[in-house]
């Protein structure tokens, strides 16, 4: 059983835990991965229980299901906060071994670290007393309960136990009572202290863990009878109704799409959905989107009578490969993956879906010919504007490289810019806009004006930007497309929202994103009703 971390760390380590599971399976061991209740794709928490009781129930439920399938020896492993939670309940679960991987020493230490990371990103709360981490929120009482949890002083079971600590960090075995040994790893920072796009699998650590389990677990000698349960039902509140919101029963189903794509479909139980939304995760993130945000939004859509499908692209999430890093976020093959998912959802519901994406996934929903598959695309923090996905890395580097700005931050080459960068800055600043757009059409320049005009002819565009991301658009002279839309009445809205951050880690950014998706869903519904009458 592999217990994951929380929030941003859960996303960054997703590829690592999947590859660890694959490595263990190749050794004949059953590897079980899950996410904690209330996080990612898991069901909402039981509001009658506290945070730790919910998560204790998670561990007990997994163990119970394994025992029912014929598993005799259950080995428990946890990463970061997952290690602390595993250690806290290990003595109650009748386990065969325990692995604590870069365990946080206490809930207080973890929450302080998360609070510092949140503040360092310039993020603010929502005015409530809740605790806000990068990509998640805990109720005040739940945060207090977690804060009191400590690794030191826990009574661990008398089973083979190993601890992995960061090289150069605190490695005092006395801090981990009952451990057989403390290993040191210098790969933790590359796995966790980075974005999900650049997180690297700690291959040597994964190999060491696999070898340790092989030595203590022995040969596989059991026939298991695991029954997959690809459907779950639970209640979610109707969004926008406050504390006394009516509860709506929703169903989530794991679905396999053509070409081997994997998705989760969220629908209301008691009515046929009248609209559909396709959620595509950015970059290398798994299908639940930015720290589970697409799962939250899909359930809101189902509570409003629609349905939502979130999918993994090939090479990402559950479809990730054996490489130690995720694929480049603008793989040309992703164009086909998004088209496949959009066609499947349209056939399933009989309606052309609304596309929802963030950063690179917006690009794959609107680049031709995909825009024609959507009734509307709601995109957040789009950064790429080129017809050819292979040219995108260079384009994004240009848009986010400050060397093309002078010391005031205005367009114009900085003193330290290279000759090529100076030439680019001069062309973008001084070239007549029609010529700049023509070069974009010919693939000779990254011209958002031309790209966005073309996309708006295929589908309705609602694009929201953080101030920083809008600055990148402006640096590429993309404001001309906005002016064109206003002049012509083209179906293209551009919204600059100071509450948004690029990664959608902040609580305000997450609330505003969900609200934008709900508003556009309801606006489309009202428009259809008007046209129908």
């Amino acid at each position: 059983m592999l217990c994951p971390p929380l929030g941003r760390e859960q996303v960054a380590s997703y590829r690592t835990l999947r590859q660890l599971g694959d490595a263990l399976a190749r050794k004949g061991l059953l590897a079980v991965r899950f996410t904690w209740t209330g996080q990612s794709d898991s069901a909402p928490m039981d509001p009658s229980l506290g945070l730790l009781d919910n998560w204790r129930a998670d561990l007990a439920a997994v163990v119970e299901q394994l025992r029912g399938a014929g598993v005799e020896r259950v080995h428990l492993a946890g990463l970061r906060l997952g290690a602390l939670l595993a250690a806290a309940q290990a003595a109650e679960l009748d386990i065969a071994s325990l692995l604590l991987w870069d365990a946080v020493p206490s809930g207080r230490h973890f929450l302080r670290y998360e609070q510092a990371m949140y503040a360092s990103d310039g993020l603010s709360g929502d005015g409530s007393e809740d605790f806000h981490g990068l990509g998640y929120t805990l109720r005040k009482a739940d945060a207090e309960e977690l804060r009191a949890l400590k690794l030191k002083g826990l009574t661990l079971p008398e089973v083979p136990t190993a601890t992995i600590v960061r090289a150069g960090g605190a490695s005092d075995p006395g801090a981990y009572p009952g451990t057989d040994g403390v290993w040191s790893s210098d790969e933790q920072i590359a796995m966790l202290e980075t974005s999900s796009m650049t997180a690297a699998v700690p291959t040597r650590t994964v190999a060491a863990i696999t070898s340790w389990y092989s030595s203590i677990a022995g040969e596989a000698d059991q026939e298991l009878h695991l029954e997959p349960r690809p459907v779950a039902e639970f209640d979610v509140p109707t969004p926008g109704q406050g504390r006394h919101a009516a509860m709506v029963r929703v169903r989530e189903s794991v679905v396999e799409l053509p070409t081997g794509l994997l998705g989760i479909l969220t629908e209301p139980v008691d009515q046929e959905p009248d609209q559909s939304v396709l959620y595509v995760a950015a970059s290398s993130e798994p299908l639940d989107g930015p720290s589970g945000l697409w799962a939250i939004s899909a359930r809101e859509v189902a509570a409003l009578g629609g349905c939502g499908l979130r999918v993994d692209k090939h090479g990402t999430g559950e479809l990730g490969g054996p490489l130690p890093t995720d694929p480049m976020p603008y793989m040309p093959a992703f164009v086909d993956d998004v088209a496949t998912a959009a066609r499947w959802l349209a056939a399933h519901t009989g309606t052309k879906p609304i596309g929802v994406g963030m950063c690179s996934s917006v690009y794959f929903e609107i680049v031709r010919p995909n825009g024609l598959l959507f009734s509307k695309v709601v995109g957040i923090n789009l950064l790429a504007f080129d017809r050819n996905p292979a040219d995108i890395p260079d384009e994004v580097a240009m848009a986010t490289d400050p060397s093309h700005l002078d010391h005031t931050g205005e367009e114009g080459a900085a003193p330290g810019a290279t000759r090529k960068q100076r030439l680019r800055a001069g062309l973008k600043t001084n070239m007549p806009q029609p010529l700049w757009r023509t070069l974009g059409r010919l693939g000779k320049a990254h011209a958002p004006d031309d790209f966005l005009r073309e996309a708006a002819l295929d589908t309705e565009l609602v694009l929201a930007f953080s101030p920083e991301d809008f600055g990148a658009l402006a640096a590429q002279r993309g404001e001309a497309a906005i002016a064109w839309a206003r002049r012509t009445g083209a179906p293209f809205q551009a919204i600059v929202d100071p509450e948004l951050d690029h990664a959608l880690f902040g609580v305000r950014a997450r609330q505003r994103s969900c609200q934008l998706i709900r508003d556009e869903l309801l606006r489309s519904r009202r428009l259809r009703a008007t046209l129908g009458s």
Side-chain angles (χ1 to χ4, degrees), residues 438-462:
T438 299
L439 289 177
R441 189 176 297 116
L442 296 174
K444 302 299 183 183
H446 307 299
D449 184 9
D450 176 65
F451 180 80
L452 293 174
R453 287 192 192 201
E454 186 176 83
L457 295 175
D458 293 342
T459 189
E460 181 181 352
L461 299 181
V462 180

Side-chain angles (χ1 to χ4, degrees), residues 49-385:
L49 298 177
L51 179 77
L52 296 184
D53 281 342
N54 268 282
W55 290 349
R56 289 186 189 104
D58 291 344
L59 291 174
V62 177
V63 170
E64 181 182 358
Q65 186 175 5
L66 292 173
R67 301 284 189 212
V71 173
E72 296 176 2
R73 297 183 300 277
V74 176
H75 302 264
L76 189 61
L79 174 62
R80 296 290 289 154
L81 183 64
L84 176 60
L85 296 171
Q89 200 177 352
E92 304 171 19
L93 295 176
D94 188 23
I95 57 173
S97 72
L98 178 63
L99 174 68
L100 306 179
W101 186 358
D102 197 12
V104 297
S106 68
R108 181 179 298 277
H109 180 279
F110 172 76
L111 293 178
R112 281 180 176 172
Y113 172 79
E114 289 286 294
Q115 192 172 39
M117 291 290 290
Y118 193 86
S120 70
D121 277 6
L123 305 175
S124 59
D126 61 355
S128 71
E129 295 184 331
D130 293 338
F131 178 89
H132 304 296
L134 292 176
Y136 66 93
T137 294
L138 301 178
R139 296 175 301 187
K140 180 183 178 182
D142 291 337
E144 291 299 323
E145 186 181 11
L146 181 59
R147 191 172 277 114
L149 189 62
K150 297 178 181 179
L151 185 63
K152 193 169 185 176
L154 289 176
T155 302
L156 302 182
E158 295 183 0
V159 295
T161 303
T163 300
I164 303 175
V165 299
R166 299 190 184 198
S171 56
D172 174 17
Y176 307 98
T179 58
D180 293 340
V182 178
W183 312 342
S184 178
S185 170
D186 61 1
E187 299 177 296
Q188 298 303 101
I189 291 177
M191 173 177 64
L192 292 172
E193 304 299 322
T194 182
S195 70
S196 60
M197 184 172 69
T198 57
V201 174
T203 52
R204 286 178 283 114
T205 307
V206 167
I209 292 172
T210 305
S211 177
W212 184 69
Y213 275 121
S214 295
S215 68
I216 64 173
E219 295 293 324
D221 58 0
Q222 297 169 253
E223 182 177 349
L224 304 181
H225 304 280
L226 277 172
E227 292 294 330
R229 293 189 288 181
V231 179
E233 290 188 6
F234 44 82
D235 294 326
V236 297
T238 304
Q241 294 187 359
R243 277 188 203 174
H244 305 293
M247 303 301 288
V248 178
R249 192 77 172 168
V250 303
R251 176 188 301 115
E252 292 202 326
S253 311
V254 177
V255 293
E256 187 170 346
L257 281 61
T259 73
L261 292 179
L262 192 69
I264 295 180
L265 184 69
T266 307
E267 302 175 287
V269 169
D270 297 326
Q271 68 180 92
E272 288 295 320
D274 62 346
Q275 291 172 287
S276 61
V277 178
L278 174 63
Y279 296 87
V280 182
S283 184
S284 53
E285 292 180 341
L287 55 79
D288 66 330
S291 298
L293 186 61
W294 290 169
I296 294 170
S297 178
R299 291 162 186 175
E300 290 186 347
V301 165
L304 292 171
C307 77
L309 173 68
R310 46 198 193 272
V311 293
D312 274 333
K313 306 182 294 295
H314 284 107
T316 68
E318 289 304 304
L319 301 180
L323 297 176
T325 57
D326 288 306
M328 190 270 285
Y330 291 93
M331 295 285 288
F334 292 166
V335 177
D336 293 334
D337 288 347
V338 171
T340 297
R343 291 191 183 99
W344 183 92
L345 187 55
H348 177 77
T349 62
T351 63
K352 190 182 279 192
I354 295 172
V356 168
M358 173 259 188
C359 193
S360 60
S361 59
V362 187
Y363 172 82
F364 289 109
E365 290 176 330
I366 66 176
V367 69
R368 281 188 168 173
N370 281 2
L372 296 168
L373 300 172
F374 297 97
S375 62
K376 174 191 298 185
V377 171
V378 180
I380 303 169
N381 294 335
L382 172 64
L383 273 177
F385 309 96

